[in-house]
Amino acid sequence: EGCALLFFNDVFFEGLPSEIKGGNKMKKRIISMLLAIFMVAGMLPTAVFAADVVASGTCGNNLTWVLSEDGVLTISGTGAMYVFNEDSNVAPWFAERTKITSVVIEDGVTSIGAYAFYACWMESVTIANTVTQIYDGAFRDCTKLAEIVIPDGVTSIGESAFYRCSSLTSVTIGSQVQKIPLNTFKGAGLTSITIPAHVSEIERDA
């Protein structure tokens, strides 16, 4: 900005006829006005970014969440997500669940808490390979979720994790999962599922 103003001073003012240059006092006024304009313009990207955030907060000791205006819920940070339930201790984004169109769980997150996305309206989920555990009911009643890819980092899936995900048609289970527990996909609309060789147990109503 300073370079721009110096250039403006050297080129613009020197190019004006002497009768309208207005002297040093006028120069200072104009430069002050331009500096204020540059400063406001420099703040615009931050203001726009702030306006894009619908809600945000924490969801683990070292995890944060941000829901943007386009419906993307992003979980970032390191470590495990808090454990929730469908009644008294709902996830912090539960009140905004109808605004969520997709979920992105970034590298560093190690678990997806129980009932974390209970009844959320997202259509897609991206899970980082750092996630090792998906707890009970994590995606229960996500009726708009159409496809899920459980990455190879996941070793454990909880009961009813995708219970009543009625639009869920395609599932790929990561290579380290050994058990598909009770009610995992009960009530889903599966037409395609990939089960890895490591799975040695499929429980009732899975």
Side-chain angles (χ1 to χ4, degrees):
E1 292 173 3
C3 290
L5 289 173
L6 288 172
F7 178 81
F8 185 87
N9 180 64
D10 291 342
V11 176
F12 179 76
F13 281 108
E14 293 306 318
L16 288 176
S18 57
E19 61 268 21
I20 62 172
K21 283 183 181 180
N24 289 333
K25 190 173 181 180
M26 180 62 71
K27 284 185 184 181
K28 288 179 181 179
R29 286 182 182 176
I30 294 175
I31 289 174
S32 296
M33 291 173 61
L34 287 170
L35 182 58
I37 293 170
F38 277 123
M39 289 176 66
V40 171
M43 292 171 62
L44 282 177
T46 302
V48 170
F49 175 79
D52 286 342
V53 175
V54 173
S56 63
T58 59
C59 55
N61 289 340
N62 295 296
L63 296 181
T64 59
W65 64 277
V66 175
L67 176 62
S68 58
E69 284 185 346
D70 59 4
V72 179
L73 175 63
T74 303
I75 314 294
S76 58
T78 57
M81 192 182 296
Y82 292 142
V83 172
F84 310 103
N85 62 48
E86 71 271 42
D87 297 318
S88 58
N89 181 35
V90 295
W93 47 80
F94 184 76
E96 310 290 344
R97 64 192 181 280
T98 61
K99 299 175 184 177
I100 300 172
T101 58
S102 65
V103 171
V104 177
I105 300 171
E106 296 187 338
D107 284 341
V109 181
T110 59
S111 71
I112 300 174
Y115 295 92
F117 302 105
Y118 169 64
C120 289
W121 284 26
M122 71 279 194
E123 298 175 6
S124 65
V125 175
T126 302
I127 304 174
N129 201 50
T130 53
V131 172
T132 61
Q133 190 165 8
I134 299 174
Y135 282 89
D136 295 354
F139 296 94
R140 178 173 173 166
D141 290 314
C142 292
T143 57
K144 295 180 181 293
L145 183 62
E147 180 180 4
I148 190 75
V149 176
I150 298 171
D152 291 337
V154 173
T155 60
S156 174
I157 302 174
E159 294 182 2
S160 304
F162 299 92
Y163 181 52
R164 289 197 302 227
C165 292
S166 54
S167 297
L168 185 60
T169 59
S170 176
V171 172
T172 301
I173 300 175
S175 62
Q176 301 304 309
V177 173
Q178 297 184 28
K179 181 173 76 171
I180 303 176
L182 183 72
N183 293 329
T184 302
F185 299 106
K186 185 176 182 179
L190 294 184
T191 59
S192 172
I193 184 167
T194 301
I195 300 174
H198 276 90
V199 171
S200 59
E201 185 177 2
I202 300 176
E203 293 191 337
R204 179 172 55 85
D205 291 328

